[in-house]
Amino acid sequence: MVKVLLVDDDSELTAMLSEYLAQESFDVHAVHTGEEGVTAALGGDYAIVVLDVMLPRQSGIETLRRIRQNSAIPVLMLTARGDNIDRIVGLDLGADDYVPKPCTPGELVARLRAILRRVSSPAPDFLPSATVQVGHLTLCPASRTALWRGAPLELTGIEFSLLEVLARSAGHLVSKQDLSLRALGRPLAPFDRRIDVHISSIRQKLGARDDGRPWIQSVRGQGYQLVSA
């Protein structure tokens, strides 16, 4: 059974979600504070974390930040419906996806399975055993690890998937819609900024080229391309 860490201070909601997820073959452990969430996420053998943004004392955003300092475990955020600021900040800090509350258990299960599929297997048109080498970048899809200038490059699951798509098309423009379909396995919804936020995070991790421009260049309203040299 897939082990899920659920971090939410609403005890009735966690009980309901835990019962439903158990019926869907998930092994759920629930905690109710951000501090407990950080400890459990870093110390337990969990496959994924479901993290509420609105937590007492230590917010879900701060909890995510502390988890990301030491772990790339997939994190699905629960956010208030319509609160775009929390979603953008969460994605910028390395959340893999979000579900607005109130959500149906069925939608939560679907999002969890989509994330787990994404981080556990490459896209079907990729060769999982082939190492991708582009300039200073080396990607190992089988282990989902990355090297940049010979040093480990820490990426979230979505960041790795996006960078892999761009690396395999290095030097060529990849549309946002194509990026979403190939890396995330779903079409890009109107006004959805998730791709932009994740690309911004990858850019920061790669740093700037000698001429000061980013390694991932953009064409406004169209897409992105990874510079190969």
Side-chain angles (χ1 to χ4, degrees):
M1 297 179 70
V2 176
K3 293 185 65 175
V4 176
L5 174 64
L6 178 58
V7 187
D8 196 310
D9 64 323
D10 186 333
S11 57
E12 291 186 7
L13 177 63
T14 55
M16 184 268 290
L17 290 179
S18 296
E19 181 178 354
Y20 186 90
L21 290 172
Q23 295 174 3
E24 297 292 328
S25 300
F26 290 95
D27 180 12
V28 182
H29 175 63
V31 296
H32 304 293
T33 68
E35 295 86 349
E36 291 176 309
V38 173
T39 300
L42 299 181
D45 186 24
Y46 296 101
I48 192 167
V49 177
V50 178
L51 175 61
D52 186 22
V53 168
M54 299 298 292
L55 292 172
R57 298 192 301 275
Q58 180 175 294
S59 72
I61 296 296
E62 176 62 19
T63 300
L64 172 64
R65 187 185 68 80
R66 296 190 180 188
I67 291 173
R68 278 290 171 261
Q69 287 177 341
N70 297 283
S71 174
I73 184 174
V75 177
L76 174 65
M77 302 290 291
L78 298 177
T79 67
R81 187 173 297 276
D83 196 341
N84 292 324
I85 297 301
D86 282 340
R87 298 178 191 177
I88 292 171
V89 172
L91 291 169
D92 195 31
L93 287 174
D96 291 87
D97 203 350
Y98 62 81
V99 173
K101 295 174 70 176
C103 66
T104 64
E107 179 183 7
L108 179 61
V109 168
R111 294 293 185 94
L112 287 173
R113 287 177 172 159
I115 294 173
L116 292 170
R117 284 196 302 269
R118 188 165 62 235
V119 301
S120 64
S121 61
D125 58 335
F126 292 168
L127 296 175
S129 61
T131 297
V132 182
Q133 180 76 50
V134 179
H136 303 298
L137 177 68
T138 302
L139 297 175
C140 300
S143 60
R144 295 186 69 80
T145 57
L147 297 176
W148 177 245
R149 300 182 186 273
L153 179 64
E154 297 297 329
L155 300 168
T156 67
I158 284 184
E159 289 172 358
F160 186 95
S161 296
L162 289 170
L163 190 53
E164 183 180 2
V165 172
L166 291 173
R168 292 181 183 274
S169 302
H172 300 279
L173 181 70
V174 182
S175 71
K176 291 184 181 180
Q177 189 64 254
D178 197 17
L179 266 176
S180 185
L181 288 170
R182 294 170 63 186
L184 310 184
R186 61 172 180 262
L188 188 67
F191 310 110
D192 191 335
R193 290 197 54 223
R194 272 176 279 200
I195 296 289
D196 304 303
V197 173
H198 288 301
I199 292 295
S200 176
S201 176
I202 298 171
R203 280 173 166 170
Q204 293 178 16
K205 294 177 180 181
L206 297 180
R209 300 167 60 198
D210 292 339
D211 60 7
R213 293 185 296 172
W215 287 97
I216 299 177
Q217 298 182 355
S218 61
V219 177
R220 182 178 294 275
Q222 297 186 39
Y224 295 96
Q225 73 173 35
L226 177 66
V227 179
S228 57

